[in-house]
Amino acid sequence: MSTSHQPPVPWWHDAVVYQLYVPSFADANGDGWGDLWGVRARLDHLQKLGIDAIWLSPCYPSPQHDHGYDVADFFDINPDYGDLEEFDALVADANSRGIRVLMDIVPNHCSIEHQWFRDAVAAQPGSPERERFYFRDGRGPNGDAPPNNWRSVFGGSTWTRVIERDGRPGQWYLHTFAPEQPDFDWSNPIVVDHFDRALRFWFDRGVDGFRVDAVAVAGKAPGLPDAPPVASDVAENDVWSHNPYSVFWPTGHDAWKHWRAVIDEYQATHPGRELVTVSEAYTPGRPEQLAMYVTGEFHQSFAFELMLAPWRPESIGQVVRDTVATMTALGVPPAWTINNHDTQRVVTRLGRANATELESYTGNNLVYVDAPVDRSRGLTRARAMTLLAAALPGTLYIYQGEELGLEEVLDLPDAARQDPIFARTEGRQIGRDGCRVPMPWTTDPSTAFGFSSPGVDTWLPQPKDWADRSVASQDGIAGSMLELYRSAMRLRKTLTGPLTWVDRSPEELVVFERGDTLITLNPTSNTCALSSSILRDRRPIISSVLGESTSGLVDADSCTWWR
């Protein structure tokens, strides 16, 4: 008599991953920047939160033209954050608490200070050094015009001209993002080998996976033809996403299939390792594109639609339905998030006066609408969205500070802003600095609310009223955002089974079951009643609203789990 056994489910299938933005998490050496020593000192907070892994923002050597996403060396740690020895100690400390470590990797581009790019600028046109990037002659009689009309993600042209060794203006190089971030040419086998070695280098140091940056732009059309014109109402830094020759170009998938083979081979030769990659690819309204990234490529790809959805039952319900259906058909757990380092925080987004309007959401995380913000309303809705996301099957990625209910800092002084989006659009787009402001840990403003040392100026200024947002002010306080997160992460581990929709509910609600637990989201301004046939004697086990009724009434702007 034989007995078949199902293979164990990988740890990341239903994990909670904490996105840790290193410069803004905790500063232990008193220079105003977060560092790895600070991360180690605050691991107890993460353990108490109930997470399974941390994902570190890029902490490689970098001149910080784009907050570390301009990497100068993919095989080392930025001295401002620590060194490889300190990184190894962080991995060991985290692992001892049951927390795995993921890193952020940037395959599309590097820094202008990367040795390869320095060599390329010093070399001749047509040299092997330049073939690692996209160097091209300019157009016009003297090559004074860019090689094509492509636009950068951060505004302006996607081309910058270099000065050749003889002192004359020469070729142009391609940068999908800032001029300080030249794109790699992934058709070059030397580039492929470089990243093969980088993956193995960090796996050997105990890293359990990677969030992979900007995967949609790694492939480019042969010949780099001009992009077609776009409508006049397309936002300045959204033009790039309409370029079919540089976004979702098919050859990009060849690189990711190769990566998967490298990772599978590493796992096969290192028993006990369970590695994971999650891709950053914005695919709103493109489930077929999302599916491609997890078919023999990445283990997961972010389901950003939930983060971009307006506060409407039909919009949120459709996003969840489409994502779950697409991923379930492929046997891949969804990767959910409602915040990240590139988009305005959920408290601000959902507190806007137009948060319920379809036209206020463009599908581009870098385009911000301008409407009045009601923080109290945004916090109420963010609490509800948190419980919804925590109840969904798959992996939940949370962004540092969302467990405190931090809002977007919209009124940073222009002189303090460091995002290249702000500079390259001449202030027409305020950029992403507002979601990257350093974390408040205590109520003491003299130490940047516990982020740094007394009297130190942080790299981005904190609001003066952040004492009541801090960890210390919320720790152990019933009903605080921090305690809501801790309870939700704990109860999430008790949810079992797939998502089953409940279609007999009022149309104002999003209602589904996970095993014996009923989840109700009411993204409207009206109180709704649940029928007894749906409730079946279940009572609330957690609610985003304090004092939730047990009578089957679902408050406006709320989410409740019933069991």
Side-chain angles (χ1 to χ4, degrees), residues 88-103:
D88 293 343
L90 169 60
V91 172
D93 284 359
N95 289 171
S96 71
R97 290 169 168 80
I99 298 173
R100 299 172 187 261
V101 177
L102 310 183
M103 292 187 77

Side-chain angles (χ1 to χ4, degrees), residues 73-147:
D73 184 351
F74 289 86
F75 297 86
D76 206 348
I77 294 295
N78 191 324
D80 291 336
Y81 300 151
D83 54 26
L84 287 172
E85 182 179 355
E86 181 65 18
F87 179 84
D88 293 343
L90 169 60
V91 172
D93 284 359
N95 289 171
S96 71
R97 290 169 168 80
I99 298 173
R100 299 172 187 261
V101 177
L102 310 183
M103 292 187 77
D104 207 317
I105 195 164
V106 189
N108 180 70
H109 50 264
C110 64
S111 165
I112 56 173
E113 295 189 14
H114 193 286
Q115 189 60 51
W116 276 11
F117 189 74
R118 292 185 177 191
D119 293 344
V121 173
Q124 296 286 352
S127 64
E129 290 84 357
R130 291 198 174 184
E131 289 176 352
R132 298 165 179 167
F133 303 92
Y134 291 96
F135 277 85
R136 297 293 186 272
D137 294 331
R139 296 193 288 196
N142 299 309
D144 294 335

Side-chain angles (χ1 to χ4, degrees), residues 38-87:
V39 176
R40 290 179 66 192
R42 297 292 187 180
L43 284 174
D44 286 347
H45 167 72
L46 301 177
Q47 185 176 19
K48 193 172 182 180
L49 192 59
I51 65 163
D52 300 291
I54 55 175
W55 145 30
L56 300 172
S57 63
C59 47
Y60 314 98
S62 167
Q64 301 291 332
H65 291 294
D66 184 25
H67 303 302
Y69 284 89
D70 50 321
V71 179
D73 184 351
F74 289 86
F75 297 86
D76 206 348
I77 294 295
N78 191 324
D80 291 336
Y81 300 151
D83 54 26
L84 287 172
E85 182 179 355
E86 181 65 18
F87 179 84

Side-chain angles (χ1 to χ4, degrees), residues 84-418:
L84 287 172
E85 182 179 355
E86 181 65 18
F87 179 84
D88 293 343
L90 169 60
V91 172
D93 284 359
N95 289 171
S96 71
R97 290 169 168 80
I99 298 173
R100 299 172 187 261
V101 177
L102 310 183
M103 292 187 77
D104 207 317
I105 195 164
V106 189
N108 180 70
H109 50 264
C110 64
S111 165
I112 56 173
E113 295 189 14
H114 193 286
Q115 189 60 51
W116 276 11
F117 189 74
R118 292 185 177 191
D119 293 344
V121 173
Q124 296 286 352
S127 64
E129 290 84 357
R130 291 198 174 184
E131 289 176 352
R132 298 165 179 167
F133 303 92
Y134 291 96
F135 277 85
R136 297 293 186 272
D137 294 331
R139 296 193 288 196
N142 299 309
D144 294 335
N148 64 28
N149 66 349
W150 293 6
R151 306 300 289 176
S152 162
V153 174
F154 293 160
S157 173
T158 196
W159 294 94
T160 291
R161 200 172 192 185
V162 299
I163 301 299
E164 302 292 356
R165 287 189 297 181
D166 60 7
R168 292 184 297 181
Q171 287 191 307
W172 300 69
Y173 67 89
L174 177 70
H175 50 86
T176 299
F177 294 87
E180 295 83 5
Q181 296 167 289
D183 282 25
F184 287 118
D185 185 346
W186 269 86
S187 68
N188 189 320
I190 296 176
V191 172
V192 176
D193 175 72
H194 174 269
F195 280 97
D196 287 356
R197 291 186 290 108
L199 293 176
R200 295 187 184 105
F201 176 86
W202 294 107
F203 289 150
D204 286 346
R205 302 198 89 89
V207 169
D208 287 300
F210 290 94
R211 176 265 191 186
V212 188
D213 181 69
V215 302
V217 295
K220 309 291 193 296
L224 310 181
D226 273 350
V230 299
S232 59
D233 61 346
V234 174
E236 180 178 6
N237 63 332
D238 195 27
V239 173
W240 68 274
S241 68
H242 297 260
N243 182 356
Y245 303 124
S246 66
V247 181
F248 301 126
W249 190 257
T251 57
H253 293 285
D254 298 335
W256 315 136
K257 287 182 171 64
H258 173 77
W259 270 27
R260 185 59 175 267
V262 169
I263 294 169
D264 288 349
E265 184 274 337
Y266 190 96
Q267 283 196 141
T269 56
H270 293 76
R273 297 297 296 275
E274 290 183 332
L275 308 176
V276 62
T277 52
V278 57
S279 72
E280 183 213 23
Y282 284 84
T283 57
R286 300 180 184 213
E288 74 290 344
Q289 192 65 251
L290 179 65
M292 289 181 69
Y293 285 112
V294 294
T295 305
E297 298 183 18
F298 300 98
H299 298 86
Q300 294 185 300
S301 190
F302 279 115
F304 287 122
E305 286 81 357
L306 186 63
M307 185 175 72
L308 300 173
W311 190 243
R312 302 167 64 96
E314 68 275 19
S315 299
I316 295 171
Q318 194 62 49
V319 161
V320 174
R321 284 179 185 273
D322 290 349
T323 303
V324 170
T326 298
M327 295 294 102
T328 298
L330 297 167
V332 175
W336 305 100
T337 188
I338 58 174
N339 288 283
N340 67 26
H341 64 292
D342 281 334
T343 194
Q344 290 194 351
R345 288 188 176 273
V346 65
V347 171
T348 297
R349 296 196 320 268
L350 296 184
R352 291 195 185 279
N354 60 354
T356 62
E357 299 174 8
L358 288 171
E359 57 271 20
S360 71
Y361 286 76
T362 66
N364 181 349
N365 64 323
L366 303 183
V367 176
Y368 304 142
V369 296
D370 185 17
V373 178
D374 181 332
R375 182 182 185 273
S376 177
R377 178 173 57 193
L379 187 61
T380 297
R381 291 172 173 174
R383 290 169 64 93
M385 184 63 96
T386 294
L387 286 192
L388 173 73
L392 296 172
T395 310
L396 177 61
Y397 289 77
I398 62 179
Y399 177 52
Q400 72 176 47
E402 73 174 75
E403 77 272 24
L404 305 178
L406 297 184
E407 67 270 37
E408 188 80 3
V409 182
L410 298 169
D411 58 354
L412 287 169
D414 287 356
R417 294 190 181 278
Q418 300 188 32

